[in-house]
Amino acid sequence: MRMTQPIRGMLAALSLSVALVLTSAVPANAAITVTLSPTAGAVGTRVDVLAANCDMDATGDVENTDTSFKLPKNNNNAQGSFTVTEKMKPGTYTVTVTCGSDTASTKFTVTSGTGAATGGGSTASDAATAVLWTGAAAVLIAAAGLWVLKRRSNVTAV
């Protein structure tokens, strides 16, 4: 069965519209991301914690320790800090921040010795990654659909 030109155009426009909607879809409640500065340090190091997209007071804790801290609201973020204690042995720890019903975490490395280590920030957000991959898949599906429609339009009827 041969499709008429208007139907093919309508299907192509519909495919493109769906792809655009899916790629631009942002959750109504953007996921929080956690940034540490520094990302590694020895006993005595103060670690600043930023929970981006957290529009309320939040709480944080360091896994397998008795270290917990508060992150007061600051504009559209929550900010707080903790200090590496002597009870924290060298190794990698997960720092978890809870903002309302949303939770995000990232890693912090305790080093041996004393004094602050320097380093960049670290971010983590599983929800943002899922949205990114969903959008990429939608774009690929739309491109494949348009390619099939274009290929069919070049076939002549006998």
Side-chain angles (χ1 to χ4, degrees), residues 85-125:
T85 66
E86 292 179 3
K87 294 180 180 179
M88 300 170 113
K89 301 300 177 202
T92 302
Y93 294 84
T94 300
V95 178
T96 303
V97 173
T98 303
C99 176
S101 61
D102 203 2
T103 301
S105 59
T106 190
K107 302 289 184 183
F108 180 80
T109 303
V110 176
T111 59
S112 59
T114 58
T118 60
S122 173
T123 61
S125 174

Side-chain angles (χ1 to χ4, degrees), residues 29-63:
N29 220 356
I32 64 169
T33 56
V34 178
T35 304
L36 303 179
S37 181
T39 58
V43 172
T45 302
R46 177 188 161 156
V47 180
D48 293 320
V49 182
L50 172 69
N53 298 320
C54 178
D55 198 20
M56 62 182 70
D57 291 345
T59 59
D61 63 80
V62 182
E63 77 168 337

Side-chain angles (χ1 to χ4, degrees), residues 6 13 15-16 22 120:
S15 297
L16 184 59
L22 288 176

Side-chain angles (χ1 to χ4, degrees), residues 2-3 8 147-156:
R2 184 164 164 83
M3 292 173 47
R8 280 187 294 204
W147 179 78
V148 167
L149 287 173
K150 175 67 178 158
R151 184 167 178 189
R152 283 188 177 181
S153 70
N154 290 336
V155 176
T156 57

